[in-house]
Amino acid sequence: VDREWIEHSPVHRIKALPRNQLPAWSEHDLQRALAELPEPLRRVVQLGVYTGQRRGDLIKMRWSDDDGTHLHVVQQKTGARLALKVHPELRLLLSAWRTETKTLTILAGPDGLPWVAQRVSERMARALAKIDGMPLHLNIHGVRKLAATRLADAGATTHEIAAITGHQTLSMVALYTASADQKRLGDAAIHRLKPASGKREKTKLKA
């Protein structure tokens, strides 16, 4: 069209195919999983929910990436360099894991060796399927979404969340945290009604 070879784009107004959104974990899903998953998989979930990183970045994290206050990550997908502040609860976990793990990587499989990406996903899927009541199709990426939602629930801005997850566009962060934003904004909206409701109630009592 720009070169004036044709007058109209042949894909004009064609709707994009729907994308299958990987489901996010709920807090209930998280607690069920932590209670019933085998230890190597439980650690994958715990590191994921405290760092918000993708599967590949989780299993590549090394003990040398931990400087005592931050975990330093170079994301495989984007090349982004992140310094992730270690939450106090994660610090306790890391201290306990360090005494038991003999690999250079923080996470290790049941064989004591570093995880392979496909293998950790397959084992996670099988383990979750054995837990009664767990939703279908949950995977490690859904933990990343839960991490972003938790930050949103805590009042973090989209820019702050992106600084943790490494997203290069805020639109994806907004998609991850839409439900949390709706709840927070809704609560704030109802809170604004309280003074007016109180005045009406006092007037009614006087009458």
Side-chain angles (χ1 to χ4, degrees):
V1 174
D2 292 342
R3 296 183 181 185
E4 299 182 352
W5 292 355
I6 57 175
E7 293 183 1
H8 303 286
S9 168
V11 296
H12 181 55
R13 293 186 178 177
I14 292 181
K15 294 182 179 179
L17 293 173
R19 296 175 61 187
N20 293 324
Q21 294 295 333
L22 298 172
W25 292 41
S26 68
E27 287 290 342
H28 178 70
D29 298 333
L30 175 66
Q31 297 309 318
R32 288 286 305 281
L34 293 180
E36 301 193 40
L37 284 176
E39 182 62 21
L41 292 174
R42 184 186 300 117
R43 294 184 183 185
V44 175
V45 173
Q46 289 170 317
L47 188 60
V49 82
Y50 281 114
T51 65
Q53 299 306 297
R54 300 178 182 87
R55 176 191 65 179
D57 297 318
L58 291 174
I59 64 176
K60 293 295 183 184
M61 283 189 201
R62 295 185 166 215
W63 291 112
S64 58
D65 296 329
D66 181 6
D67 69 4
T69 59
H70 292 78
L71 284 169
H72 296 270
V73 177
V74 179
Q75 292 190 322
Q76 291 181 324
K77 183 176 180 178
T78 65
R81 294 181 176 273
L82 306 177
L84 307 174
K85 178 74 173 178
V86 177
H87 189 279
E89 292 178 9
L90 178 58
R91 174 56 61 199
L92 292 175
L93 291 171
L94 291 174
S95 297
W97 298 348
R98 189 185 289 269
T99 62
E100 305 168 10
T101 306
K102 297 180 180 180
T103 55
L104 295 177
T105 55
I106 293 174
L107 298 174
D111 56 3
L113 299 175
W115 280 111
V116 175
Q118 189 60 33
R119 187 170 299 168
V120 67
S121 292
E122 291 171 352
R123 285 184 175 270
M124 182 69 75
R126 288 199 295 267
L128 292 175
K130 294 178 181 179
I131 302 175
D132 289 338
M134 287 293 281
L136 298 175
H137 310 304
L138 289 184
N139 62 12
I140 298 170
H141 196 78
V143 178
R144 174 172 163 83
K145 292 186 177 182
L146 174 58
T149 301
R150 277 183 153 193
L151 291 168
D153 285 339
T157 66
T158 51
H159 284 86
E160 289 171 335
I161 296 170
I164 297 296
T165 61
H167 281 105
Q168 296 181 323
T169 59
L170 298 183
S171 59
M172 185 58 71
V173 176
L175 181 63
Y176 280 9
T177 60
S179 61
D181 290 340
Q182 181 277 321
K183 182 177 182 296
R184 185 170 64 251
L185 292 171
D187 289 351
I190 295 300
H191 181 73
R192 293 177 183 276
L193 293 175
K194 288 183 179 180
S197 300
K199 289 179 182 178
R200 284 197 295 270
E201 193 64 32
K202 289 179 181 180
T203 303
K204 190 174 181 181
L205 289 173
K206 288 181 180 179

